[in-house]
Each structure stands twice: as C-alpha cells, then as structure tokens.
Amino acid sequence: MAKSTLSFVCQNCGAAYNRWQGKCESCGEWNTLAEEDTGATTMPVSIRSKRKGRLFALETLTGKSFEAPRLPSGMAELDRVTGGGFVRGSVLLVGGDPGIGKSTLLTQATSLMARAGHRAVYISGEEAVAQVRLRAERLGLADAPVQLASETSVEDIVSTLSEGAVPRLIVIDSIQTMWTDTVESAPGTVTQVRASAQALIRFAKKSGAAIILVGHVTKDGQIAGPRVVEHMVDAVLSFEGEGSQQFRILRAVKNRFGPTDEIGVFEMTGLGLREVSNPSELFLSERDLGSPGTAVFAGIEGTRPVLVEMQALVAPTSLGTPRRAVVGWDPSRLSMVLAVLEAHCGVKLSGHDVYLNVAGGLRIQEPAADLAAAAALVSSLVNAPLPTDAVYFGEISLSGAVRPVAQTSARLKEAAKLGFGRAVLPESARGEAGGDSGLSLSTVGGLTSLVADIAARGSPKGNHEGNRERNREPAAAEKNATPARFRRQEG
C-alpha cells in the first residue's frame, strides 16, 4: 500500500534530507530546512508496472531547422532581452526585488499585446482583481482587453485557460503563491513551487501559450525556490535597479531562444515604465564635471554600447582594516585592481578607505571596466580631475599590462556620438579602432604609465597655498604636487 513520506527540504536550493540539521550541505545556508510531505510513494516490487518502454525514432544531426516563431510584445526593450519576442510554448521566469516594478512591466506588456488583438491573461495570486485594475488605471491602460483573475489553484487555472481560444500570453504573479493538489505541502514551499511550475510548463508546451512566471528573490538577490525551476523554464530574466534610482535594468540570465548578454533599460515614471532607447545619455546626464575620482567607462552590454560614469572615493582611514565598498561592480575585481596598483605602480592604499560606485544603478560585469576603475581611484587619491571629454576601457592583467577588449570600434562610435573627444584604450587595440571614429586616441601599454600621467596633474587635497604657488611656477609646482611614489625615475 502506498504511503507518503516526510523529509526535510531546504527552502533555498531544494535539497532533501532524512533528518533535520542546522546547515544545508548543498548550498551552505543555515536554518533553511523545513519538514515537508514530499508526496513520494513506495510500493512492493511485485505490484509495480511491468510495462516495457515504447520505441521511438532516432534522428540525425543533418536536416532542416526552423526558427521558432515569435510574438512581439510591443515593448522594444523587452523584445531585445527575450531575443525578438515571445516564443510559442515558452516559459519565462522573471525575478526582482519587491517593489522594483515587475508587476508594472508585465501589466504594460499584457495590455499592449491585448490591444494588438491577442488574447492576454493576467492571473494574480497576491492581489485582488480590483488592485490590478487600479494599477492599470494609473498607467492609463484600463481600456486594454486584458483578462484578469485572482486564483492560486493550478488545476483551476489550467482548466479555465483550456476553454476557448488559446491565450498567446499568460502571466502568473507569482509562482510562490500557486498550489496543486498533487502534493500535500503548503503554498510557497519548495515542493509546491516545483510541482506548480511543472504543471504550468506542461500546459504551455501542450497548448503553445507563452507563460511568464513571476518569482520572489532572496536577500542575496537570487530567485527564491529550488534551482530546478530555473532549469525547467526556457528563460530567466532578472529585473534590477536601486530604489533611489529611476532606472531599471532587465537582464537575461538564461535564454534558450536568444542571447544572455542583452539588457533592456527602463525609466520609472508616474505613468509606469518608459523605455530608454539611448541609456548612455541618461546615465551621463547628471555628471559632476571636473570632480576628481570620476571616469567615464565605455562598455558593451550584449550588442549595445553603454557609457556610464564610475565614481571612486579614496579617503584616509583610522581603522585597522580599511573599508572596501563597491556598488555595481564585482568586489573581487576591485581587490585585484588595488593589488596591481600597489604591486606594480607603487600606489599605497593600505591606509585608505576605498569606495567605488557605478552611477545610475547599472551593474557592470565585463573586465573592460578595469582601466576606468583604476583611473578613477588614482584620480581621487591624488586629487587630479580627469579630462571631462575622455572615455576609458581596457582589461588589466596581474602583471600590470593593459589587455585589449572586444568591440573597440562600437565603443568609440558611441563615445563620439555623445560628444566625447578622446579615448584611453589598450595599445594593442589601436589597429582595431581605426581612424574613422573621430576621437583622439591615447593608448597605454601598462598601468604604470597611466598612473604617472594622472599623478602628474594631482595636487594635495585642501592645499590652497600650494595651488597659488603652482599658478606662479607651473613647472616647479607640478613636480612638487606629484607624490614621490608616482614620479618617474629619470635615466
């Protein structure tokens, strides 16, 4: 006779254990194991099915391949991230911090598709229908023929959507509130999330409807629930942004039908999310020109060049261990740049606090930002403003050399379009840059030369007497304003 079994399941990664323990050995988190009825059944071997598996045909690698048909959402930035639109029968998982704008984005997407004549359904398990209508009225989308419902039973949802015409787009907000009769666990547990997602994915593949699942995130910014759900869906989208910033970034973490390095940029306004076709112009709209510690980085996000300001602050510390705070960049990458500056350039930062920030709420992942970060750090340390019309990009190796990066010409064209006049780039990238960009190119082969050039323009912070002296004797003042550790060795 079949019987249900109880086990302890990690609510962070989904690993199951026979007994409770304080730490999950799979993901390393503490106090995440909860007792659940996994719904597993055991039966004697004598009464198990003796049915043999069916035969199926095997194919070869050669043959015709057809591009998956797509349905544009009506939002260019959303289509850029998904790869051109929603694929029939695909399932997408969208995650983001609470209040970041996930429901607003999906409400706009379903409204645009409904206005285009497609059947779009929005099912909310967290809000009532009246609350969704209030959001639509605030966004000016109340007249869109979107079908709404407030339901959490997966069986009821599948039965309702199976009637009539197949919906082209279905939004489930959120997957953590869904529950199915096939398991006995409470809604929101790992077992329920996995079973509910599996039922919805089966319906999407069978009917051809595109389904968007909204997922909660943990305190670390990862999508909550078992990792197996991320492997089950076709695409995982992350909606990022700072609460104090008006910019929102939609990034594809996984995409079976498109690129995973594209981003979509939105601006949060009173009428919802507005698409930003030229994010570089907005990221640089509030620059503090002439301030030490700021450098403009020419980056690439997918196929789109993006210019963003990197801000650094280096200040003396009274603590035994200096602080290293980073926002929008990899902290380990900052540690490597600081180590290279100290080992090969003589920049002593062991007695200084270091703060690095990427303006606008953008998160930079490519190593090409090393050169811009190093320039901003040295500029803040020696109080030397960088040229306001210059952009920086290049990867720094552990030996102190500046290595080339991909798509140099696209970065330079974007900088020239926004009015920049010069670019500091790796020496080996001059051939790829060409001469048609219209920028004055300054190449650096090693980090030492860049540090010496910035330090030669520096001045001690708060030394007004030194500034007057420098105005009277330019040559002598420049020599005295340069710290000894940055001076070039003569001969």
Side-chain angles (χ1 to χ4, degrees):
M1 181 177 179
K3 63 177 182 179
S4 61
T5 59
L6 295 177
S7 62
F8 295 89
V9 182
C10 176
Q11 303 302 305
N12 185 59
C13 67
Y17 301 90
N18 294 328
R19 60 183 181 84
W20 185 89
Q21 54 191 30
K23 179 180 179 181
C24 175
E25 300 296 338
S26 179
C27 63
E29 294 292 331
W30 288 86
N31 299 325
T32 57
L33 299 187
E35 185 178 8
E36 294 185 12
D37 187 352
T38 60
T41 59
T42 59
M43 61 182 61
V45 178
S46 59
I47 62 175
R48 290 180 183 174
S49 175
K50 300 296 184 179
R51 184 184 68 86
K52 294 183 179 180
R54 65 178 179 87
L55 300 178
F56 57 90
L58 299 176
E59 303 284 345
T60 61
L61 293 178
T62 59
K64 294 183 179 180
S65 60
F66 301 94
E67 185 178 358
R70 296 181 180 272
L71 179 65
S73 64
M75 304 180 71
E77 294 298 308
L78 179 58
D79 292 339
R80 172 190 289 269
V81 178
T82 57
F86 301 117
V87 178
R88 291 178 58 89
S90 63
V91 180
L92 295 82
L93 180 62
V94 179
D97 294 333
I100 202 67
K102 301 185 297 297
S103 300
T104 301
L105 174 66
L106 298 179
T107 301
Q108 294 181 228
T110 52
S111 300
L112 291 175
M113 292 193 65
R115 285 177 174 177
H118 305 289
R119 184 186 179 191
V121 181
Y122 191 101
I123 298 178
S124 176
E126 300 179 346
E127 299 175 302
V129 173
Q131 293 176 295
V132 180
R133 286 173 177 169
L134 287 176
R135 183 189 305 116
E137 291 178 2
R138 187 179 73 252
L139 301 177
L141 303 173
D143 59 338
V146 178
Q147 297 178 329
L148 302 177
S150 179
E151 184 59 53
T152 57
S153 174
V154 174
E155 284 76 16
D156 295 345
I157 293 174
V158 172
S159 299
T160 303
L161 298 179
S162 300
E163 297 293 330
V166 177
R168 299 302 303 272
L169 180 64
I170 304 170
V171 174
I172 305 296
D173 188 7
S174 64
I175 188 60
Q176 273 79 14
T177 61
M178 299 292 120
W179 63 276
T180 175
D181 294 333
T182 57
V183 294
E184 299 295 335
S185 302
T189 58
V190 169
T191 305
Q192 278 286 2
V193 170
R194 183 192 296 112
S196 300
Q198 180 60 46
L200 293 171
I201 292 173
R202 191 183 308 112
F203 171 75
K205 302 302 180 184
K206 181 179 179 181
S207 63
I211 297 181
I212 300 179
L213 306 177
V214 179
H216 296 168
V217 296
T218 62
K219 60 182 180 180
D220 298 329
Q222 303 295 329
I223 297 180
R227 288 292 181 183
V228 67
V229 175
E230 298 187 24
H231 299 305
M232 292 161 54
V233 299
D234 298 304
V236 179
L237 307 181
S238 176
F239 205 40
E240 306 170 354
E242 299 291 337
S244 58
Q245 298 286 346
Q246 70 270 28
F247 304 115
R248 301 291 186 268
I249 309 297
L250 183 65
R251 190 187 304 272
V253 181
K254 168 192 173 182
N255 194 351
R256 290 174 180 167
F257 304 108
T260 58
D261 51 2
E262 290 284 358
I263 65 169
V265 184
F266 301 87
E267 182 182 7
M268 180 63 75
T269 65
L271 298 176
L273 292 168
R274 183 180 68 86
E275 299 178 67
V276 179
S277 58
N278 189 2
S280 301
E281 187 174 355
L282 284 180
F283 286 147
L284 300 177
S285 59
E286 300 179 358
R287 290 182 60 198
D288 188 8
L289 300 178
S291 177
T294 60
V296 178
F297 165 59
I300 293 288
E301 293 290 344
T303 59
R304 164 188 284 173
V306 177
L307 269 62
V308 66
E309 183 183 37
M310 300 193 69
Q311 304 169 348
L313 176 62
V314 180
T317 181
S318 58
L319 304 176
T321 302
R323 287 180 55 87
R324 301 288 187 261
V326 190
V327 177
W329 203 40
D330 187 6
S332 60
R333 202 75 192 175
L334 174 63
S335 301
M336 188 209 72
V337 172
L338 294 178
V340 173
L341 286 173
E342 184 164 354
H344 298 284
C345 305
V347 181
K348 304 298 181 182
L349 295 172
S350 57
H352 294 76
D353 291 333
V354 175
Y355 303 89
L356 187 68
N357 175 50
V358 179
L362 181 66
R363 296 184 183 274
I364 298 177
Q365 298 178 350
E366 60 172 335
D370 293 349
L371 194 63
L377 291 170
V378 178
S379 171
S380 176
L381 177 65
V382 301
N383 196 31
L386 298 176
T388 57
D389 62 341
V391 296
Y392 298 80
F393 60 90
E395 179 183 356
I396 298 176
S397 65
L398 293 179
S399 62
V402 181
R403 298 170 56 87
V405 295
Q407 304 187 39
T408 299
S409 59
R411 303 172 195 264
L412 296 179
K413 289 180 181 179
E414 181 71 10
K417 185 174 67 175
L418 294 180
F420 288 86
R422 67 181 76 177
V424 180
L425 68 162
E427 190 175 55
S428 55
R430 178 182 288 273
E432 182 183 352
D436 57 348
S437 62
L439 299 179
S440 175
L441 305 182
S442 301
T443 58
V444 290
L447 189 58
T448 306
S449 60
L450 177 66
V451 171
D453 181 67
I454 297 175
R457 301 190 301 268
S459 63
K461 297 181 180 180
N463 192 350
H464 302 287
E465 188 68 28
N467 293 337
R468 290 195 295 268
E469 184 68 22
R470 185 174 65 252
N471 294 333
R472 289 195 300 267
E473 298 181 8
E478 181 178 350
K479 180 178 179 181
N480 293 333
T482 305
R485 60 177 177 272
F486 294 125
R487 296 177 188 168
R488 300 180 179 179
Q489 298 295 331
E490 297 182 359

